[in-house]
Amino acid sequence: MITRGLLALTAASTFVLGTPTIAAAADFGGMKDSPFLAQTHTAPSWTGFFAGLELGYAWGDHDWTFVNDGYYNDNAGDTASMSGDGVLAGAHIGYQVQWRRFVFGVEANLNSVSTNADEQSQYFNDDTFKTDIDWLATVAGRVGYTVNAWHGYLKGGFAFADVEVSAEVDGGRRFSDSDTLTGYVLGAGVDYRAAKNFVIGIEYNYISLDDERFAESDPSLSEVLIDADAELHTLKAKASLLY
């Protein structure tokens, strides 16, 4: 009698305790295909190295301040402004780490640029002022957020550019100097994971380059001193491989 009672109790306990387990398993089976769980458990990680190519458009403004009264201006403190635009093309490399849906990383870019800007002098009609940017580089930190195959991010860091300023008289160059300007970059972008290890994206950057002094002493002219800065905007398409 006791034995039968124990057997009945054991059977009842197994049924009662087992039912929630079966129900929970059934519920989980119904949720396994939900977008939330799919993102949490099956989406590939963005952690790792990445490298790729980029192509885009750049535009910006360049400001000069004449330090002294020289051959191309009237008085110290005179200014000149010019705008330019053109194509940029280059490459990027970086590393990032994903934590939950957040992605933290660092990226370096190097681009060849053709934003040649020129302006006719307001002081002498025969003179033309020019600012050319040959290359542009940035090193920036990134923080982003990922949803399935999409990854949006913000970036900020340091910018460097090779800048040449020049002045021409009747089409002949009389003054020219080049230097590396430094400043900062702020940007934002969106990436799409087209394949497991292949990403395409678009990115905008604002770049501010600080004043730098340009100078050249010509025996036939008084010394030319110019403080020049630049503000640039870039919009580019990117393609990257993840490693």
Side-chain angles (χ1 to χ4, degrees), residues 135-153:
W135 57 260
L136 172 67
T138 63
V139 178
R142 306 195 333 179
V143 56
Y145 188 81
T146 179
V147 177
N148 296 323
W150 293 94
H151 171 220
Y153 60 88

Side-chain angles (χ1 to χ4, degrees), residues 10 32 42 47 52 68 72 90 110 133 176 189 218:
T10 302
K32 67 180 181 180
T42 64
T47 296
N68 56 351
Y72 299 102
L110 178 61
I133 297 180
S176 178
D218 187 318

Side-chain angles (χ1 to χ4, degrees), residues 5-183:
L6 290 175
L7 291 174
L9 181 61
T10 302
S13 299
T14 301
F15 176 79
V16 173
L17 296 175
T19 300
T21 304
I22 295 171
D27 289 342
F28 182 79
M31 292 176 59
K32 67 180 181 180
D33 296 324
S34 69
F36 175 78
L37 290 180
Q39 165 67 19
T40 303
H41 296 291
T42 64
S45 173
W46 291 79
T47 296
F49 289 96
F50 61 92
L53 302 176
E54 50 196 46
L55 178 67
Y57 175 68
W59 68 99
D61 300 314
H62 309 274
D63 295 319
W64 292 11
T65 301
F66 291 92
V67 178
N68 56 351
D69 52 342
Y71 186 80
Y72 299 102
N73 63 301
D74 293 328
N75 302 296
D78 287 343
T79 61
S81 298
M82 60 212 77
S83 299
D85 60 358
V87 176
L88 80 162
H92 57 267
I93 188 171
Y95 182 79
Q96 57 195 10
V97 175
Q98 181 174 348
W99 176 72
R100 297 186 178 178
R101 289 181 184 262
F102 294 95
V103 181
F104 305 92
V106 62
E107 179 183 22
N109 305 70
L110 178 61
N111 287 269
S112 174
V113 190
S114 60
T115 57
N116 300 329
D118 58 73
E119 182 74 17
Q120 183 179 15
S121 170
Q122 65 267 45
Y123 308 107
F124 304 102
N125 291 334
D126 293 336
D127 296 355
T128 302
F129 302 142
K130 293 188 175 184
T131 302
D132 300 330
I133 297 180
D134 294 324
W135 57 260
L136 172 67
T138 63
V139 178
R142 306 195 333 179
V143 56
Y145 188 81
T146 179
V147 177
N148 296 323
W150 293 94
H151 171 220
Y153 60 88
L154 301 174
K155 63 184 291 187
F158 303 98
F160 314 87
D162 181 63
V163 178
E164 180 184 29
V165 301
S166 61
E168 297 180 354
V169 179
D170 291 330
R173 179 166 295 191
R174 298 293 299 274
F175 163 76
S176 178
D177 190 21
S178 62
D179 206 341
T180 300
L181 271 63
T182 61

Side-chain angles (χ1 to χ4, degrees), residues 213-226:
R213 178 156 297 181
F214 296 83
E216 181 179 53
S217 295
D218 187 318
S220 64
L221 306 173
S222 59
E223 185 180 37
V224 180
L225 295 175
I226 296 172

